């Protein structure tokens, strides 16, 4: 069962990595597509019991995404680490069973994460206009939020009772 | 004290982490290339799956768009159906015109090309007289033996066969037109597909009008011979008088014999004999 959990995590990550460029290519709004890896990182961080695990997951996911994209190595690693930390911190204070609060969390964290990507991009000399950055930051945050009601209940249930549930050593 | 040290440590850690990441991003920007084996493996693994999803996505997207387009497509389909019907009708009309054009092109231009005739010398001649008797369909031309004209030389007009020289004097010659019952011509009837049926064209001069079914030219065939209205009649080249492929006329009507075994094709001549003024004598005999 333990391996199934990690296998499922890997599969979820893999599809989160490729779906925005494939399936959501057809469902993009003016070039705006969801950031599924960020959404997945938020979900994982919300359900981790330890901040270190949450941050570690964010760094690993981000680094793999950086390597997959092949450019600006470290940008997503740092961003998703911050996103994971923020999600973990907020999930500990908010009632994560509440869908509305989760929507607010996803929107806020996605907004912060995308803004960070925009900031880091500008910091290394990317020629992005402020309007474009604002449009993408808001667009992706909204898109992630829209996807949340369709994905969160299922993944939340799996984290609590299904294959994604963390099992302590004594339980294993 | 301990708490303060942790904050400083974290601040330093965050600073160096940020610095390292910014340097890393700078070194791996859009215009830089660097070894990325992990990324390559990920790309290699993802590529087939991405391809499948993209293909499926395209298909779904196309079908989805198609659903929205159905009302418009229906309207377009009806319009196209109407246009297709009109075009089919037009196509049929054009086809029939092209067939007709193929049949009559050379005749409409009042010219014909008959290679076997072209190889002989031809001399122009004017009609100086017509046979005053209604029993014979002959012409007198202003060319004779001095011009090399000989008996049996074929005579043609711009558009087709006129007849053959039956007598020659020093400066004139007499031509028996094919309208005459004696002016029989070995002929070939060509249908639109190009297949030919051989026969003999005969004049029926005793009839009143050559443009009616009782006209001046006719051919007799077996009932099963593939001869139809609109077919063209040419000289066959058989018989040794007329060169091959000189136009004679076109079949305007076909009638079954009383016995039902034979049929008669009535032929409208190509040449307007009544208004004929100039002709050409082909020196098939006189030229030798």
């Amino acid at each position: 069962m333990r391996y199934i959990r990690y296998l499922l995590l890997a599969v979820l990550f893999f599809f989160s990595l490729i779906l925005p460029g494939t399936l959501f290519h057809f469902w993009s709004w003016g070039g705006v597509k969801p950031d599924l890896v960020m959404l997945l990182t938020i979900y994982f961080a919300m359900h981790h019991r330890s901040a270190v695990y949450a941050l570690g997951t964010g760094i690993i996911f981000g680094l793999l995404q950086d390597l997959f994209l092949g450019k600006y190595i470290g940008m997503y690693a740092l961003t998703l680490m911050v996103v994971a930390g923020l999600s973990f911190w907020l999930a500990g204070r908010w009632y994560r069973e509440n869908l509305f609060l989760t929507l607010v969390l996803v929107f806020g964290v996605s907004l912060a994460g995308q803004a960070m990507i925009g900031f880091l991009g500008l910091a290394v000399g990317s020629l992005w206009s402020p309007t474009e950055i604002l449009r993408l930051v808001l667009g992706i945050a909204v898109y992630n939020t829209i996807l949340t009601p369709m994905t969160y209940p299922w993944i939340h249930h799996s984290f609590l009772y299904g294959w994604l549930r963390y099992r302590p050593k004594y339980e294993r | 004290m301990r708490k303060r040290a942790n904050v400083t440590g974290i601040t330093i850690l965050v600073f160096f982490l940020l610095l390292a990441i910014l340097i890393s991003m700078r070194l791996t920007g859009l215009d830089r290339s660097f070894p990325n084996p992990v990324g390559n493996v990920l790309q290699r693994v993802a590529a087939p799956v991405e391809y499948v999803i993209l293909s499926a996505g395209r298909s779904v997207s196309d079908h989805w768009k198609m659903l929205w387009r159905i009302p418009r497509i229906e309207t377009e389909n009806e319009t196209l159906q109407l246009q297709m019907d009109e075009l089919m009708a037009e196509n049929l009309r054009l086809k029939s015109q092209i067939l007709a054009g193929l049949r009559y092109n050379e005749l409409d231009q009042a010219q014909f090309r008959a290679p076997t005739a072209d190889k002989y010398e031809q001399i122009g001649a004017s009609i100086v007289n017509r046979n005053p008797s209604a029993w014979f369909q002959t012409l007198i031309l202003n060319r004779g033996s001095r011009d090399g004209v000989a008996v049996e030389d074929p005579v043609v007009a711009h558009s087709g066969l006129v007849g053959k020289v039956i007598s020659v004097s020093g400066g004139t010659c007499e031509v028996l037109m094919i309208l005459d019952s004696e002016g029989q011509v070995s002929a070939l009837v060509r249908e639109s597909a190009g297949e030919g049926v051989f026969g003999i064209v005969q004049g029926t001069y005793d009839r009143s009008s050559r443009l009616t079914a009782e006209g001046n030219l006719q051919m007799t065939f077996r009932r099963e011979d593939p001869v139809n209205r609109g077919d063209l009649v040419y000289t066959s080249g058989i018989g040794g008088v007329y060169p091959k492929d000189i136009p004679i006329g076109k079949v305007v009507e076909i009638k079954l014999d009383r016995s039902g075994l034979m049929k008669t094709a009535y032929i409208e001549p190509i040449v307007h004999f009544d208004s004929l003024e100039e002709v050409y004598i082909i020196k098939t005999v006189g030229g030798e």
Side-chain angles (χ1 to χ4, degrees):
Chain A
M1 287 298 281
R2 186 185 173 195
Y3 295 109
I4 289 179
R5 181 175 189 258
Y6 290 115
L7 184 69
L8 192 58
L9 286 176
V11 170
L12 282 173
F13 173 76
F14 180 74
F15 280 100
S16 299
L17 204 60
I18 62 171
L19 284 183
T22 52
L23 187 66
F24 286 94
H25 165 72
F26 303 102
W27 293 338
S28 62
W29 300 331
V32 175
K33 292 178 280 191
D35 192 333
L36 293 185
V37 175
M38 187 173 283
L39 194 63
L40 194 68
T41 307
I42 293 170
Y43 290 163
F44 277 21
M46 283 172 74
H47 292 87
H48 270 304
R49 292 165 185 244
S50 148
V52 177
Y53 275 116
L55 292 173
T57 306
I59 290 174
I60 292 170
F61 279 6
L63 195 60
L64 285 174
Q65 188 168 7
D66 282 329
L67 292 171
F68 181 74
L69 298 174
K71 297 293 171 194
Y72 296 129
I73 304 297
M75 185 164 75
Y76 271 99
L78 181 65
T79 304
L80 292 188
M81 186 189 78
V82 171
V83 162
L86 204 56
S87 303
F88 179 81
W89 185 73
L90 284 172
R93 280 149 187 80
W94 289 2
Y95 184 55
R96 66 182 184 189
E97 303 287 334
N98 187 311
L99 184 63
F100 176 74
L101 285 179
T102 307
L103 288 176
V104 174
L105 187 148
V106 167
F107 179 75
V109 174
S110 293
L111 203 70
Q114 296 303 320
M116 193 167 170
I117 290 171
F119 168 76
L120 288 172
L122 285 178
V124 290
S126 293
L127 301 172
W128 295 337
S129 72
T131 320
E132 184 67 9
I133 291 173
L134 190 67
R135 192 178 75 85
L136 285 175
V137 168
L138 274 173
I140 295 169
V142 168
Y143 214 146
N144 276 3
T145 311
I146 288 169
L147 290 179
T148 304
M150 291 173 254
T151 52
Y152 182 74
W154 172 80
I155 214 160
H156 177 62
H157 184 270
S158 185
F159 266 114
L160 291 184
Y161 313 108
W163 284 348
L164 289 174
R165 187 168 79 93
Y166 174 74
R167 286 178 175 80
K169 272 184 183 174
Y170 66 86
E171 197 181 315
R172 286 180 233 147
Chain B
M1 192 68 188
R2 190 183 166 193
K3 193 178 178 183
R4 198 175 168 183
N6 277 349
V7 170
T8 310
I10 289 169
T11 309
I12 292 169
L13 186 69
V14 168
F15 173 77
F16 278 106
L17 183 69
L18 200 61
L19 188 68
I21 285 172
L22 285 174
I23 291 169
S24 164
M25 284 175 65
R26 192 74 182 167
L27 292 175
T28 56
L30 287 174
D31 54 344
R32 305 291 176 91
S33 67
F34 61 97
N36 182 13
V38 179
N40 292 342
V41 169
L42 278 173
Q43 290 280 6
R44 210 171 296 165
V45 171
V49 186
E50 285 176 320
Y51 175 76
V52 170
I53 296 173
L54 262 180
S55 305
R58 277 197 202 100
S59 175
V60 170
S61 174
D62 290 346
H63 285 88
W64 183 252
K65 285 176 188 167
M66 190 68 79
L67 280 176
W68 294 104
R69 287 179 191 160
I70 282 175
R72 205 182 71 197
I73 288 171
E74 201 176 353
T75 316
E76 277 181 6
N77 192 33
E78 285 172 5
T79 314
L80 288 172
Q81 198 75 40
L82 282 172
Q83 282 180 354
M84 198 181 77
D85 289 345
E86 287 172 10
L87 288 172
M88 275 181 71
E90 194 179 329
N91 192 26
L92 282 172
R93 279 199 301 275
L94 287 172
K95 271 184 179 171
S96 62
Q97 283 174 11
I98 286 169
L99 277 175
L102 285 173
R103 286 180 194 135
Y104 305 123
N105 185 38
E106 58 190 13
L107 311 178
D108 291 343
Q109 290 176 350
Q111 288 175 343
F112 65 90
R113 304 295 301 170
T116 51
D118 288 346
K119 67 183 181 185
Y120 297 107
E121 185 190 349
Q122 299 182 17
I123 53 168
S126 295
I127 296 170
V128 292
N129 198 7
R130 287 174 183 268
N131 195 312
S133 166
W135 296 96
F136 305 103
Q137 299 291 324
T138 58
L139 303 167
I140 306 296
L141 306 180
N142 62 347
R143 299 282 187 181
S145 55
R146 286 198 294 268
D147 303 295
V149 178
V151 174
E152 298 286 326
D153 277 342
V155 178
V156 297
H158 282 293
S159 53
L161 188 64
V162 173
K164 63 178 179 183
V165 175
I166 51 170
S167 65
V168 181
S169 66
T172 61
C173 65
E174 189 175 10
V175 177
L176 178 69
M177 292 193 286
I178 55 173
L179 298 178
D180 195 286
S181 58
E182 295 295 314
Q184 297 173 341
V185 183
S186 171
L188 185 68
V189 180
R190 285 219 179 108
E191 58 174 324
S192 52
E195 289 183 12
V197 182
F198 288 94
I200 302 293
V201 173
Q202 284 184 297
T204 53
Y205 66 94
D206 51 340
R207 301 296 180 183
S208 57
S209 170
R210 66 187 174 88
L211 297 178
T212 63
E214 293 79 32
N216 291 60
L217 292 175
Q218 64 181 50
M219 291 176 83
T220 305
F221 299 98
R222 292 176 301 171
R223 182 179 178 167
E224 62 270 22
D225 284 336
V227 176
N228 297 294
R229 282 178 64 182
D231 289 351
L232 288 177
V233 185
Y234 293 88
T235 54
S236 68
I238 299 169
V241 178
Y242 299 106
K244 197 180 174 187
D245 285 332
I246 299 173
I248 296 171
K250 64 177 176 181
V251 178
V252 290
E253 189 161 341
I254 293 171
K255 279 186 176 177
L256 267 178
D257 233 333
R258 284 183 182 174
S259 65
L261 298 173
M262 308 295 283
K263 61 184 177 186
T264 304
Y266 294 93
I267 297 156
E268 181 184 342
I270 297 297
V271 177
H272 295 278
F273 291 95
D274 287 339
S275 56
L276 205 58
E277 290 181 16
E278 274 88 32
V279 293
Y280 296 93
I281 302 166
I282 303 173
K283 293 163 74 171
T284 55
V285 181
E288 286 175 356

